[in-house]
Amino acid sequence: AQSVTQLGSHVSVSEGALVLLRCNYSSSVPPYLFWYVQYPNQGLQLLLKYTSAATLVKGINGFEAEFKKSETSFHLTKPSAHMSDAAEYFCAVTPSGGYNKLIFGAGTRLAVHP
Amino acid sequence: EPEVTQTPSHQVTQMGQEVILRCVPISNHLYFYWYRQILGQKVEFLVSFYNNEISEKSEIFDDQFSVERPDGSNFTLKIRSTKLEDSAMYFCASSEFQVSNTEAFFGQGTRLTVV
């Protein structure tokens, strides 16, 4: 079964520092991959998604992610963290084969300190 | 901006009671979903719904669970006889097309506490 693993349940960075949130997937064929963000007391919001077009995907709020098939990874990055980036981030995959659902990782809580 | 709304935001119920969690998906969306997140665990898929019927359900979605779109705007999740382990955050989502082709929009969640 397909799954995603997010390394690090908590990540803390300084404002202005690089943000790197890790996601690895297990899949026998390239899946569709997503990053969602959840701000406090809000629903999940799509940041970006990979659907087999460009391997470097740009999303909202300055985030981007690179699909690396050789490493089965889809890490999320942002060059310069902002206080407003503090949230929980979820990597997700849609199983290949026509399934219409998201399989989520456990989430990474990002803290940004001054 | 259109959004998925869920009510209530927090529900406390006694074990064995029935609960109905309510969702209003985005109006032109055709696909509807329920997910849940037990505290400290992953967000898990429960069920997807399209064309007035369940299109897929997970092994979590047993006979205690049911979904309904009673009036063309609401989408509900019913748990017939709640157990302690049903305590979780329940998220409703909707999408215009399948999630591989479009964005799924999530509500803010209903926190269900079974005591």
Side-chain angles (χ1 to χ4, degrees), chain B residues 35-89:
Chain B
Y35 289 80
R36 79 171 186 190
Q37 185 180 29
I38 295 172
L39 189 64
Q41 298 185 25
K42 296 183 179 186
V43 177
E44 301 171 290
F45 169 79
L46 291 178
V47 66
S48 59
F49 191 87
Y50 170 71
N51 201 25
N52 286 320
E53 60 183 24
I54 291 174
S55 45
E56 187 178 355
K57 59 184 181 179
S58 72
E59 57 209 27
I60 302 168
F61 195 89
D62 61 22
D63 292 343
Q64 294 296 314
F65 291 88
S66 62
V67 290
E68 196 177 32
R69 189 154 161 79
D71 55 14
S73 62
N74 290 283
F75 180 51
T76 61
L77 174 69
K78 182 192 291 186
I79 309 174
R80 263 183 272 282
S81 178
T82 50
K83 309 183 190 74
L84 294 176
E85 54 265 36
D86 294 327
S87 295
M89 180 74 89

Side-chain angles (χ1 to χ4, degrees), chain A residues 60-98:
Chain A
I60 61 171
N61 302 337
F63 284 93
E64 62 183 37
E66 186 172 9
F67 173 73
K68 290 188 176 179
K69 184 179 176 181
S70 61
E71 298 177 8
T72 60
S73 69
F74 190 58
H75 302 330
L76 182 71
T77 60
K78 181 173 180 177
S80 176
H82 193 271
M83 299 295 287
S84 60
D85 294 327
E88 185 137 26
Y89 292 80
F90 295 93
C91 184
V93 64
T94 293
S96 55

Side-chain angles (χ1 to χ4, degrees), chain A residues 12-110:
Chain A
S12 182
V13 300
S14 300
E15 193 173 18
L18 171 72
V19 175
L20 171 60
L21 305 181
R22 299 178 188 275
C23 172
N24 288 88
Y25 67 91
S26 67
S27 174
S28 56
V29 295
Y32 297 113
L33 291 157
F34 308 79
W35 275 99
Y36 277 82
V37 61
Q38 185 181 28
Y39 298 104
N41 301 315
Q42 294 188 28
L44 299 163
Q45 180 184 5
L46 181 67
L47 271 179
L48 50 80
K49 68 178 182 182
Y50 167 76
T51 58
S52 76
T55 55
L56 182 63
V57 182
K58 294 188 183 299
I60 61 171
N61 302 337
F63 284 93
E64 62 183 37
E66 186 172 9
F67 173 73
K68 290 188 176 179
K69 184 179 176 181
S70 61
E71 298 177 8
T72 60
S73 69
F74 190 58
H75 302 330
L76 182 71
T77 60
K78 181 173 180 177
S80 176
H82 193 271
M83 299 295 287
S84 60
D85 294 327
E88 185 137 26
Y89 292 80
F90 295 93
C91 184
V93 64
T94 293
S96 55
Y99 294 100
N100 186 29
K101 64 182 178 184
L102 296 164
I103 298 173
F104 285 90
T108 298
R109 185 166 296 279
L110 175 67

